[in-house]
Amino acid sequence: MSQRCATRYPLVLVPGMLGFIRLVLYPYWYGIVAALRRGGAVVVAVKVSPLHSSEVRGEQLLARIEEILRDTGAQKVNLIGHSQGALTARYAAARRPDLVASVTSVAGTNHGSELADYLHTHYPADSAKGRLLSALLRLINAMMSLLDSGYHGPRLPVDIQASHASLTTAGVALFNERYPQGLPQTWGGQGPEEVGGVRYYSWSGTLQPGKTDKGRNLFDGTNRSCRLFARTFVREAGQCDGMVGRYSSHLGTVIRDDYPLDHFDIVNQSLGLVGKGAEPIRLFVEHAERLKSAGV
């Protein structure tokens, strides 16, 4: 077996909003876990509340980290979070830096999402449209929970309003005041590589110009959804992945912020049907090699 991805500490993958481990046979991190394990890495994909605040999700993650450390005998973990999972990982690292070697944000909402801001304005919680959206999210979550064959733990709490507030620009700004580790000091800049013994990294993608991404696989349905969502962006119009802005995703060492990948393709959620030249699995393998070289 290759040892190219054999990091010193286990890799813990943290999903975003409405996250899961495996819907029947379809994993959240499609092809990624297997590739990392073939490279010799110890990898654990975890589940936290699909719809809740980043702080509540972070406390759940801390409990899972302690279980993983007991099971593996490791002293720390490397956290890799997608979307809201990046905030969840940041919270855990800020609260228990002694348990975390690194935090990696993949298309993370580190400065909020303009899509969440749009929904906050046009679908307020006390309106008919807001109640309808909440009901739809509850239904989706219930169905996904029934289908999540990879999760066998207790029923996780749901708070749709807390989840939504945690993703708005204002909500993340409050979060960042409490947990600023790894954040850039200037808009669009890089953050510190290491804070309190924890290394910070990030990467993200952007939708490419034109009606379709150049070389995009025609069976990639997520791209159409992301292009629709991208219409809600103002500050980072034309510079987003459909759900998170390019510069809003920055944290720590920015590996790259314009991969030709939408918000779902960046974790290979289109069954690998991504655009020509886009290789999300390779990004994770290369990052495991990067972490290994850094001694974590």
Side-chain angles (χ1 to χ4, degrees):
M1 177 187 292
S2 167
Q3 294 298 303
R4 62 186 296 197
C5 298
T7 54
R8 179 180 180 184
Y9 304 115
L11 303 176
V12 177
L13 307 184
V14 189
M17 179 182 177
L18 289 174
F20 53 90
I21 295 177
R22 184 176 61 253
L23 296 182
V24 188
L25 299 176
Y26 175 62
Y28 186 99
W29 311 87
Y30 184 82
I32 293 170
V33 172
L36 291 170
R37 286 177 177 165
R38 284 196 299 271
V42 175
V43 189
V44 182
V46 301
K47 181 173 180 177
V48 292
S49 285
L51 293 164
H52 219 304
S53 71
S54 299
E55 291 87 347
V56 167
R57 288 162 51 94
E59 287 294 331
Q60 295 167 355
L61 176 58
L62 282 171
R64 284 293 287 120
I65 289 171
E66 292 178 346
E67 292 176 357
I68 292 166
L69 296 182
R70 286 196 297 270
D71 292 343
T72 63
Q75 296 178 317
K76 296 183 179 183
V77 295
N78 292 297
L79 299 176
I80 302 178
H82 173 234
S83 195
Q84 191 185 7
L87 299 180
T88 307
R90 286 175 50 198
Y91 174 90
R95 291 295 303 272
R96 291 296 306 272
D98 56 312
L99 302 183
V100 179
S102 71
V103 169
T104 301
S105 165
V106 179
T109 51
N110 294 308
H111 292 86
S113 168
E114 291 189 62
L115 173 60
D117 294 343
Y118 177 89
L119 294 175
H120 179 74
T121 301
H122 294 86
Y123 292 79
D126 57 354
S127 69
K129 291 194 298 183
R131 288 190 288 271
L132 180 61
L133 179 60
S134 293
L136 177 61
L137 288 173
R138 287 186 182 279
L139 177 60
I140 293 172
N141 177 63
M143 293 177 61
M144 293 176 72
S145 295
L146 287 174
L147 295 173
D148 194 346
S149 59
Y151 178 71
H152 306 288
R155 184 175 181 180
L156 297 168
V158 169
D159 188 327
I160 292 175
Q161 299 311 315
S163 174
H164 183 205
S166 288
L167 296 173
T168 63
T169 301
V172 177
L174 290 174
F175 179 91
N176 287 344
E177 288 181 7
R178 302 185 187 107
Y179 313 108
Q181 292 87 342
L183 290 173
Q185 294 299 308
T186 58
W187 178 250
Q190 299 208 30
E193 180 180 10
E194 184 174 325
V195 181
V198 180
R199 303 177 74 90
Y200 290 86
Y201 304 89
S202 62
W203 76 77
S204 58
T206 58
L207 298 172
Q208 304 303 297
K211 293 184 178 180
T212 59
D213 285 341
K214 183 178 181 180
R216 183 177 62 82
N217 192 300
L218 296 178
F219 296 99
D220 178 5
T222 65
N223 192 270
R224 288 184 285 274
S225 299
C226 285
R227 287 188 178 280
L228 179 62
F229 297 150
R231 296 177 185 176
T232 66
F233 281 68
V234 177
R235 185 179 190 184
E236 294 192 79
Q239 296 288 326
C240 70
D241 66 4
M243 302 189 80
V244 176
R246 174 181 181 179
Y247 302 117
S248 297
S249 71
H250 284 198
L251 182 77
T253 299
V254 180
I255 296 163
R256 184 174 165 183
D257 61 9
D258 64 346
Y259 286 111
L261 294 161
D262 68 39
H263 194 70
F264 301 101
D265 287 344
I266 206 160
V267 288
N268 212 34
Q269 282 190 7
S270 297
L271 298 171
L273 302 176
V274 296
K276 183 179 180 181
E279 303 177 69
I281 294 177
R282 177 178 60 81
L283 301 183
F284 283 83
V285 170
E286 289 178 349
H287 190 53
E289 294 174 339
R290 185 179 293 114
L291 295 174
K292 180 181 178 182
S293 295
V296 296

